[in-house]
Amino acid sequence: MADAILKSIKLDNQSQLDLMDASQKVAADRWLVRLNIRLTVPVTALSTGAPDDAGPRLEDVRAELGERVLFEQTKERNFVDDREKDAVLNNLHDAFMATAAAYLAHPLFPQKLILKKYHESIKKKGLRSRG
């Protein structure tokens, strides 16, 4: 089953935040209520962060990670009554927006995410990074 997009937000830091309903019925009147959070960051956001001459070059990052980096998170509640499904999904959404959305919208978040993913990727391959 495809996730239904609840909200899609273009953040000021060049990222795209998508909140999706990925809930599934698990019994006659019970649900696994799931909110999938996806933040897509273009690797070009690396060049808009704080300058760091010791860091990897944009070309190297692009070659390693591609054009976009993805941050994903899932919030879920299991065995939710049919009558409470929408309220629980709304609560998950509201709690996320109240706490984590501002963190993801921070101007330096894209750059830090890209660098983290880059270093994880090259470490996994056993390569050394520039910076």
Side-chain angles (χ1 to χ4, degrees):
M1 174 163 76
D3 296 355
I5 294 181
L6 298 173
K7 186 179 281 188
S8 189
I9 306 166
K10 181 74 171 177
L11 303 176
D12 289 339
N13 65 11
Q14 299 184 38
S15 302
Q16 177 73 34
L17 177 63
D18 295 318
L19 293 107
M20 293 157 291
D21 178 3
S23 301
Q24 297 176 326
K25 198 168 222 179
V26 293
D29 65 343
R30 298 295 167 176
W31 285 82
L32 168 62
V33 178
R34 182 179 291 138
L35 176 69
N36 284 341
I37 298 122
R38 226 173 259 143
L39 183 77
T40 306
V41 178
V43 295
T44 55
L46 184 61
S47 62
T48 62
D52 183 4
D53 293 337
R57 296 177 309 163
L58 180 60
E59 302 81 36
D60 294 338
V61 173
R62 184 177 277 138
E64 185 66 28
L65 301 176
E67 294 298 321
R68 290 176 186 71
V69 173
L70 192 62
F71 171 86
E72 294 181 291
Q73 194 174 70
T74 299
K75 304 288 184 184
E76 59 186 28
R77 298 292 178 270
N78 200 7
F79 218 65
V80 175
D81 186 278
D82 222 2
R83 297 166 295 196
E84 298 172 5
K85 177 204 176 265
D86 291 339
V88 170
L89 183 62
N90 286 335
N91 287 340
L92 291 174
H93 170 274
D94 294 346
F96 173 80
M97 293 303 289
T99 57
Y103 174 73
L104 298 177
H106 190 279
L108 292 179
F109 183 84
Q111 180 185 22
K112 290 182 179 186
L113 177 67
I114 293 166
L115 290 173
K116 179 179 184 262
K117 296 280 188 175
Y118 175 75
H119 290 296
E120 286 173 351
S121 181
I122 60 174
K123 184 176 183 180
K124 187 175 182 180
K125 291 180 177 179
L127 302 174
R128 292 193 54 173
S129 69
R130 258 191 86 228

